[in-house]
């Protein structure tokens, strides 16, 4: 199969020929139809975070495709099912966090495209219990960004505990932010989109934002305070200074929801303001399988719109450069190279007896 592979952290990906993997017990083999490009994939390829992936590996945790083969013991999936491969590729299922419905905090979790090979390829193996069904009516090019950008922002707004009519400021109107604007509207909020790019501010307005704040024209926090301040600020821009601006934009009793993961990894927050104003600081990491099912249901019901551009997988390095340069309106979705049916012979099936 063809796959985009990280052979060395910080170096360009290479579209390689790789053996078609065989699904093990409890796994499925998925033929990938579309795969979104997330900023996390770029962090993974560059080794930006303290816990680094081990090359060679295949990034991609917004994969959508068709199940082609079932591993031993799989009874909850069928060949031909259309499924999504999210960031949470596997969790233990029995720790406190899994049992409480907070599986994304499981300390034994495996992450698609990071600790296990992901969806930047024609095929991927996935845990049958952790893929999520994609309902009819949700196009693959929409389902792919919803699998991470959608579920991540949906969960962030869920944990913020928004009350209808509260004001929510979305810092960063890109691949995640354009969906966050829409989910904030679903939750009944007044929405402020914050960005430095005029096109993204216009996109925020087009998707229902009540106000748009141009952070390049002055202090974004001061501009938001002039509008009355925000009850909730969701930070989706990978810059520590933006977290500090978002904090300063909050009303008394406000909530700062931290989602983006800047490489420098540190923000400075005033303790007196946090205490005296009753500010809450909340970390939110992706969403559960149930959250993703809700995201798909909202989209199938026509409540959200995904803005994306499609690229061939062979453009993976140029696509990453475009994301880093801010040249992408929202999300990039990769189309996979066409599959020849004779490809669908797994590694185990094609390995001569006695050499497996």
């Amino acid at each position: 199969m063809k796959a985009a592979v990280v052979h060395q952290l910080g170096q360009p990906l290479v579209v390689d020929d790789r053996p078609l993997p065989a699904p093990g017990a409890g796994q499925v083999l998925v033929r990938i139809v579309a795969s979104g490009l997330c900023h996390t994939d770029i962090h993974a390829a560059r080794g930006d975070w303290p816990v680094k992936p081990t090359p060679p590996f295949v990034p991609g945790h917004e994969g959508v495709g068709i199940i082609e083969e079932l591993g031993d013991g799989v009874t909850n999936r069928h060949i031909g099912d259309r499924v999504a491969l999210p960031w949470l590729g596997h969790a233990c299922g029995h720790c406190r966090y899994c049992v409480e419905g907070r599986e994304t905090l499981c300390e034994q979790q495996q992450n698609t495209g990071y600790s296990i090979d992901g969806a930047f390829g024609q095929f991927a193996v996935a845990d049958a219990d952790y893929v999520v069904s994609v309902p009819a009516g949700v196009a693959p090019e929409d389902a792919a960004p919803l699998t991470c950008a959608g579920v991540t922002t949906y969960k962030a707004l869920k944990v913020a505990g928004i009350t209808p009519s509260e004001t929510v400021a979305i810092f960063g109107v890109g691949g995640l932010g354009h969906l966050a604007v829409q989910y904030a509207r679903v939750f009944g909020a007044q929405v402020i989109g914050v960005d430095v790019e005029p096109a993204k501010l216009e996109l925020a307005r087009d998707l229902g934002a009540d106000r748009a704040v141009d952070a390049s024209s002055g202090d974004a926090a001061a501009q938001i305070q002039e509008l009355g301040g925000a009850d909730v600020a969701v930070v989706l821009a990978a810059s520590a200074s933006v977290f500090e601006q978002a904090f300063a934009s909050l009303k008394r009793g406000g909530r700062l929801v931290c989602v983006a993961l800047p490489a420098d990894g540190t923000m400075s927050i005033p303790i007196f303001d946090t205490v005296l104003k009753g500010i809450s600081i909340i970390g939110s990491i992706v969403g559960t399988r149930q959250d993703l099912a809700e995201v798909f249901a909202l989209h199938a019901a026509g409540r959200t719109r995904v803005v994306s551009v499609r690229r061939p997988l062979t453009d993976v390095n140029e696509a990453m450069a475009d994301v880093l340069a801010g040249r992408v309106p929202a999300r990039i979705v990769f189309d996979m190279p066409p599959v020849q049916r004779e490809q669908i012979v797994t590694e185990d099936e094609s390995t001569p007896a006695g050499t497996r």
Side-chain angles (χ1 to χ4, degrees):
M1 70 173 191
K2 296 287 186 184
V5 183
V6 176
H7 288 281
Q8 184 177 345
L9 298 177
Q11 296 300 310
L13 281 70
V14 178
V15 178
D16 278 346
D17 288 313
R18 302 190 102 205
L20 188 66
Q27 295 181 325
V28 292
L29 177 69
V30 180
R31 174 172 54 84
I32 303 299
V33 176
S35 187
L37 171 61
C38 178
H39 209 125
T40 295
D41 298 314
I42 300 174
H43 288 305
R46 301 197 309 184
D48 284 339
W49 294 341
V51 178
K52 303 181 188 305
T54 302
F57 69 95
V58 179
H61 56 276
E62 290 186 345
V64 174
I66 308 299
I67 293 178
E68 296 279 358
E69 187 177 342
L70 306 177
D72 289 344
V74 175
T75 58
N76 60 332
R77 304 291 175 190
H78 303 89
I79 292 174
D81 285 354
R82 193 165 62 127
V83 296
L85 281 63
W87 172 251
L88 185 67
H90 173 81
C92 76
H94 54 74
C95 71
R96 167 191 173 186
Y97 303 108
C98 287
V99 171
E100 290 178 349
R102 297 188 291 165
E103 60 194 18
T104 55
L105 299 182
C106 177
E107 293 183 279
Q108 304 302 315
Q109 69 182 270
Q110 296 291 320
N111 300 118
T112 308
Y114 207 91
S115 58
I116 54 179
D117 280 340
F120 282 7
Q122 291 175 303
F123 294 87
V125 162
D127 188 318
D129 288 335
Y130 285 84
V131 297
V132 176
S133 296
V134 180
V138 180
E141 62 268 24
D142 290 348
L146 292 172
T147 298
C148 180
V151 75
T152 298
T153 51
Y154 178 72
K155 181 59 174 289
L157 290 159
K158 251 185 154 180
V159 301
I162 296 166
T163 300
S165 81
E166 283 192 314
T167 298
V168 175
I170 306 297
F171 283 77
V173 185
L176 277 77
H178 88 284
L179 288 161
V181 166
Q182 297 174 74
Y183 294 130
R185 296 284 293 173
V186 168
F187 280 89
Q190 298 289 309
V191 184
I192 301 173
V194 186
D195 210 289
V196 296
E197 298 287 341
K200 291 183 178 180
L201 294 171
E202 184 57 36
L203 176 62
R205 294 187 192 95
D206 183 50
L207 293 172
D210 301 281
R211 302 288 185 110
V213 168
D214 185 352
S216 70
S217 67
D219 186 338
Q223 294 181 66
I224 293 171
Q225 289 293 356
E226 288 176 6
L227 297 172
D231 296 291
V232 173
V234 180
V235 185
L236 305 172
S239 166
S241 64
V242 177
F243 285 79
E244 295 162 12
Q245 293 172 31
F247 180 93
S249 75
L250 291 169
K251 300 177 183 180
R252 288 176 174 268
R255 288 91 76 198
L256 174 66
V257 184
C258 305
V259 178
L261 292 170
D264 46 7
T266 303
M267 62 179 173
S268 178
I269 297 297
I271 296 172
F272 272 84
D273 285 349
T274 305
V275 174
L276 298 181
K277 293 182 179 180
I279 303 296
S280 299
I281 300 173
I282 304 166
S284 181
I285 179 168
V286 297
T288 65
R289 289 167 286 179
Q290 178 58 34
D291 292 323
L292 182 52
E294 292 169 15
V295 162
F296 285 151
L298 281 170
H299 193 74
R303 302 295 299 277
T304 53
R305 174 159 65 95
V306 176
V307 177
S308 65
V309 293
R310 302 181 76 162
R311 300 274 190 90
L313 184 64
T314 49
D315 284 357
V316 59
N317 293 302
E318 294 83 353
M320 287 184 171
D322 287 344
V323 169
L324 292 173
R327 293 190 289 262
V328 180
R331 211 58 160 180
I332 288 176
V333 177
F334 293 122
D335 292 320
M336 295 301 117
V339 170
Q340 304 300 320
R341 300 312 296 177
E342 59 268 22
Q343 280 184 261
I344 308 177
V345 177
T346 60
E347 188 177 28
D348 280 354
E349 291 171 332
S350 61
T351 304
T355 65
R356 295 175 185 170

